[in-house]
Amino acid sequence: MKHNIDSKGYYGKFGGAYIPEMLYPNVEELRQNYLKIMAEPSFKKEFDQLLKDYVGRPSPLYFAKRLSEKYNTKVYLKREDLNHTGAHKVNNTIGQILMAQRLGKTRIIAETGAGQHGVATATVCALMGMECIVYMGEIDIARQAPNVARMKMLGAEVRPALSGSRTLKDATNEAIRDWINNPIDTHYIIGSVVGPHPYPDMVARFQAIVSEEIKWQLLEKEGTEKPDYVVACVGGGSNAAGAFYHYLEDTDVKLIAVEAAGKGIHSGESAATSVLGREGIIHGSKTLLMQTKDGQITEPYSISAGLDYPGVGPMHAHLYTSGRAEFISITDDDAMIAGLELSKLEGIIPAIETSHSLAIFDKKTFKKEDVVVINLSGRGDKDLQNYIDYFKL
Amino acid sequence: MNRIQSKLQEDKKLLSIYFTAGYPNLNDTVSIIQNLEKSGVDMIEIGLPFSDPLADGPTIQASSTQALKNGMTTEVLFNQLKDIRQTVSIPLIIMGYFNPMLQYGVDAFCKKCQAIGIDGLIIPDLPVDVYNDQYKATFEKYGLINVFLITPQTSEERIQFIDSISNGFIYMVSSASVTGSSSGFGDEQTNYFKRIADMNLDNPQIVGFGISDNKSFTQATQYAKGAIIGSAFIKHLTSNGSDSITGFVDNILN
């Protein structure tokens, strides 16, 4: 397991659990139990059943004919956008709500940036009848009103994060503080492959269903489980972790992680962590993160709220430094154009996060016979206003 | 003997005060330390501000944000403190998060602390096992005492382990909370203080979180060696600036 997690909770030198003692009992309880619980037949059965009947899995692996013709290669889209709630996020929240129940927790907290993970968490809490509190930066609450309304309809309480820059990283800080204040009855559903061990591994395992399905779906269509490339966008990196998971140790399959360059990598308004970040600690994990020389965490920028995070999960930090994955960054403009292109060529309006992955064809040339699987991580409904404003539609 | 260890041997209950370096004004650090010592404080925790202080509540976070805006950095703090031992003799501890220390270089950071006359460090997000495996030797090389936290949820076995690798005091977090959450203690806390006292640990305990006045200081130190005040002092600085520190300390001690 060269590219996956080791027994101490590290991917190479990245990962670990750099947490205050106040969090130790909660995180340790989870660490000791998560693999055991995930291996229980009753857990597996319930998880699989919900993914099938509630989420609508398996999500199709769709051969994008017109996109393939345009770029002279074979492009498949893994349709996570067709999941209930519109993105891959729900795979993880289903898994974690079942985990929380088995740990005897009665109260759920989560952080959210654009609101996708918040909605996915509020959804599973409604499903299970559990109390749900979602922390969201005050600024994000103002700019993501439809998702705030969704969470409220689903019965969740949305609490504004008023500290720091009042965006995703501060919402995460507030959720962690809530967990410190409520160590007994509360489970924290982290939305990405970030945070202290075991979160990056647990979330990656819940998202691994994506590559598990790609393998058999591709076998049916192409006679092989192995694509030449798997492409996914990376903010914290949960959809990429899911799409890469079962290919991590198979170096015949090339992995491409797409980051948000924002207004340009060196514009001062970017979220391209692999280029701009250095090793450090954020939200309990040693990873690559954007920071000042002095070790203060800086505010990233991307047009896509889901990629607007100053770090990457430790798995991705390791994939980057080891060279296992190629990292490409895409600007706001290129992403928006690629999103519009997919809409017109294939009749699929992608989330702006996902549009970043679709923009790689201008950065990288594939061979005609290459099989390129792009994880279509989310749908664009939530971004309609952004598309309207950008293209003056 | 390290100043912290000497101070812990004094036959009295100790008052330790936390403040954020660079708050309210960038260059208040030295005068706040001097005034605290003159006011009769036993020990000082100098907070190195961090952008994302997970264990702190709104009061300390806001002071950290302001201190960073004022221009506080690790290097600036070290420069402000370079002559501090010419005027101040009580134990000084730097409290901060691990990332700024990691970026400075752990060895370089500790070396600088020794040169200045810092006696110990409190780094809430440096886990016990990581410290023990990777950094203990460095801290010891520079004569620095590392202070660990325990909470009401910390298991007895883990407390024993923490005691075994501590060589100063144990920072006893009064309740499951971030800093500045509540004030005053009920039976639950008192029982917890007593339970820890009854363990007869090698290292004395100093209580932090939730202490703001004479009453809570007296309650906290009934079983423990001392108590730490942070958020309440920051609030005092916010309202009164660094002028009337003596009055604040008098109200705690009397």
Side-chain angles (χ1 to χ4, degrees):
Chain A
M1 298 287 269
K2 203 171 144 226
H3 301 290
N4 212 327
I5 199 157
D6 67 21
S7 61
K8 290 188 164 175
Y10 284 83
Y11 300 85
K13 61 182 172 177
F14 299 109
Y18 294 81
I19 48 170
E21 188 63 28
M22 293 82 101
L23 278 178
Y24 180 83
N26 308 23
V27 172
E28 181 62 10
E29 179 187 33
L30 193 61
R31 190 187 69 79
Q32 283 182 5
N33 291 294
Y34 82 110
L35 292 176
K36 230 183 317 182
I37 290 174
M38 285 179 77
E40 283 170 9
S42 70
F43 181 92
K44 281 185 166 169
K45 192 178 163 207
E46 201 176 352
F47 183 56
D48 292 347
Q49 194 74 46
L50 283 169
L51 288 186
K52 180 168 174 280
D53 297 337
Y54 188 71
V55 174
R57 303 203 71 91
S59 67
L61 184 68
Y62 164 71
F63 176 65
K65 187 159 168 287
R66 298 189 65 205
L67 192 66
S68 297
E69 277 168 8
K70 173 153 189 193
Y71 291 105
N72 202 26
T73 189
K74 284 172 155 176
V75 184
Y76 283 88
L77 302 176
K78 179 60 174 161
R79 298 291 309 274
E80 291 300 297
D81 61 317
L82 294 178
N83 292 340
H84 179 44
T85 72
H88 69 289
K89 290 287 185 192
V90 72
N91 302 326
N92 169 49
T93 60
I94 292 270
Q96 286 206 48
I97 198 89
L98 298 177
M99 180 70 60
Q101 284 181 325
R102 279 157 178 81
L103 291 169
K105 308 291 179 178
T106 55
R107 180 175 175 271
I108 297 295
I109 54 171
E111 85 294 336
T112 198
Q116 288 305 101
H117 173 60
V119 167
T121 303
T123 298
V124 297
C125 287
L127 180 68
M128 298 300 174
M130 278 164 96
E131 185 185 354
C132 181
I133 291 147
V134 179
Y135 288 90
M136 188 167 183
E138 195 184 30
I139 288 175
D140 291 334
I141 287 179
R143 63 183 177 187
Q144 305 288 340
N147 272 343
V148 175
R150 281 189 188 101
M151 288 185 268
K152 286 181 178 167
M153 278 189 76
L154 293 160
E157 182 192 340
V158 180
R159 286 192 191 164
L162 304 170
S163 62
S165 53
R166 293 171 290 147
T167 57
L168 176 58
K169 90 178 165 67
D170 309 283
T172 308
N173 291 339
E174 292 303 330
I176 291 173
R177 288 179 182 129
D178 181 307
W179 211 21
I180 288 174
N181 287 324
N182 298 283
I184 311 289
D185 63 346
T186 299
H187 176 73
Y188 176 21
I189 300 189
I190 293 185
S192 192
V193 287
V194 301
H197 176 65
Y199 275 105
D201 185 46
M202 181 172 69
V203 176
R205 284 169 186 266
F206 288 138
Q207 292 294 357
I209 184 73
V210 176
S211 46
E212 192 184 312
E213 288 175 1
I214 293 173
K215 284 176 86 170
W216 64 258
Q217 289 171 322
L218 202 62
L219 184 64
E220 281 180 7
K221 292 176 199 301
E222 290 284 334
T224 172
E225 293 184 340
K226 297 182 186 184
D228 295 289
Y229 294 89
V230 180
V231 182
C233 60
V234 172
S238 68
N239 95 74
F244 295 168
Y245 197 85
H246 288 286
Y247 297 114
L248 284 173
E249 311 300 334
D250 185 349
T251 48
D252 292 345
V253 179
K254 297 177 200 71
L255 309 175
I256 298 178
V258 183
E259 292 183 307
K263 294 182 179 170
I265 287 178
H266 300 293
S267 65
E269 292 184 84
S270 176
T273 307
S274 69
V275 185
L276 300 171
R278 292 196 320 277
E279 188 178 326
I281 289 162
I282 180 169
H283 298 139
S285 183
K286 187 181 271 188
T287 187
L288 294 173
L289 66 126
M290 291 165 57
Q291 53 184 316
T292 65
K293 180 174 165 289
D294 205 41
Q296 309 294 341
I297 298 170
T298 52
E299 205 38 44
Y301 164 81
S302 164
I303 193 168
S304 133
L307 303 182
D308 198 356
Y309 184 71
V312 287
M315 174 200 277
H316 299 298
H318 183 52
L319 293 177
Y320 174 73
T321 51
S322 69
R324 173 67 186 94
E326 180 183 356
F327 279 62
I328 293 177
S329 37
I330 297 294
T331 61
D332 289 354
D333 290 338
D334 290 346
M336 295 304 278
I337 291 163
L340 188 63
E341 180 182 80
L342 187 76
S343 307
K344 296 202 161 154
L345 281 180
E346 298 289 349
I348 298 169
I349 301 174
I352 296 177
E353 289 78 8
T354 314
S355 296
H356 285 73
S357 330
L358 296 159
I360 60 158
F361 294 105
D362 292 328
K363 297 267 176 179
K364 197 168 169 72
T365 307
F366 298 98
K367 288 191 290 232
K368 190 172 174 32
E369 66 275 18
D370 279 343
V371 172
V372 181
V373 174
I374 297 179
N375 195 20
L376 205 81
S377 54
R379 72 175 83 125
D381 306 26
K382 72 179 174 65
D383 295 317
L384 212 52
Q385 194 59 50
N386 273 320
Y387 282 124
I388 290 168
D389 294 346
Y390 188 87
F391 291 110
K392 314 256 183 297
L393 298 172
Chain B
M1 187 182 284
N2 182 297
R3 289 182 199 91
I4 296 171
Q5 290 163 335
S6 313
K7 178 59 79 174
L8 289 164
Q9 289 183 355
E10 289 179 15
D11 184 23
K12 63 179 287 204
K13 300 294 184 182
L14 306 180
L15 172 62
S16 181
I17 296 277
Y18 167 93
F19 77 101
T20 305
Y23 181 84
N25 305 298
L26 180 62
N27 292 314
D28 286 343
T29 313
V30 170
S31 71
I32 289 175
I33 293 171
Q34 289 169 338
N35 283 324
L36 283 170
E37 180 174 46
K38 271 182 215 148
S39 308
V41 164
D42 296 293
M43 194 152 59
I44 298 172
E45 291 167 28
I46 304 160
L48 178 61
F50 182 50
S51 54
D52 295 77
L54 292 182
D56 287 301
T59 304
I60 290 179
Q61 166 139 24
S63 70
S64 301
T65 304
Q66 186 59 47
L68 292 171
K69 272 193 197 139
N70 291 345
M72 183 50 72
T73 67
T74 309
E75 199 61 61
V76 167
L77 178 62
F78 283 150
N79 279 331
Q80 289 177 343
L81 295 177
K82 66 183 188 329
D83 298 323
I84 196 73
R85 283 304 175 196
Q86 291 174 13
T87 54
V88 172
S89 61
I90 58 174
L92 298 175
I93 294 171
I94 289 183
M95 181 163 187
Y97 288 79
F98 191 41
N99 196 49
M101 188 179 175
L102 200 59
Q103 302 310 321
Y104 196 88
V106 175
D107 191 277
F109 191 99
C110 292
K111 190 175 178 182
K112 195 86 189 183
C113 284
Q114 185 191 43
I116 288 167
I118 297 295
D119 306 292
L121 296 172
I122 304 176
I123 307 147
D125 60 341
L126 172 59
V128 177
D129 53 339
V130 174
Y131 167 77
N132 202 36
D133 294 346
Q134 296 176 38
Y135 300 114
K136 191 163 185 272
T138 307
F139 277 56
E140 285 172 356
K141 180 167 74 172
Y142 297 112
L144 292 170
I145 283 176
N146 192 24
V147 177
F148 297 104
L149 278 58
I150 63 169
T151 80
Q153 276 72 43
T154 310
S155 70
E156 191 167 323
E157 186 190 359
R158 189 166 168 84
I159 293 172
Q160 297 287 3
F161 173 65
I162 287 171
D163 189 39
S164 76
I165 61 166
S166 297
N167 57 352
F169 65 91
I170 291 174
Y171 191 133
M172 188 158 66
V173 176
S174 64
S175 60
S177 71
V178 294
T179 56
S181 299
S182 60
S183 188
F185 302 117
D187 289 347
E188 200 180 322
Q189 273 94 17
T190 313
N191 292 339
Y192 156 61
F193 300 156
K194 184 166 187 309
R195 170 166 67 84
I196 304 301
D198 289 345
M199 286 178 74
N200 291 313
L201 300 172
D202 291 339
N203 295 273
Q205 303 90 53
I206 297 190
V207 180
F209 293 35
I211 299 140
S212 60
D213 52 18
N214 178 262
K215 186 174 174 231
S216 46
F217 178 75
T218 308
Q219 282 176 321
T221 53
Q222 185 186 354
Y223 296 103
K225 178 67 185 169
I228 302 163
I229 295 180
S231 298
F233 183 62
I234 300 287
K235 282 181 189 155
H236 175 83
L237 290 177
T238 305
S239 312
N240 306 286
S242 48
D243 294 337
S244 48
I245 288 175
T246 307
F248 177 85
V249 175
D250 280 349
N251 282 335
I252 303 295
L253 293 175
N254 303 301

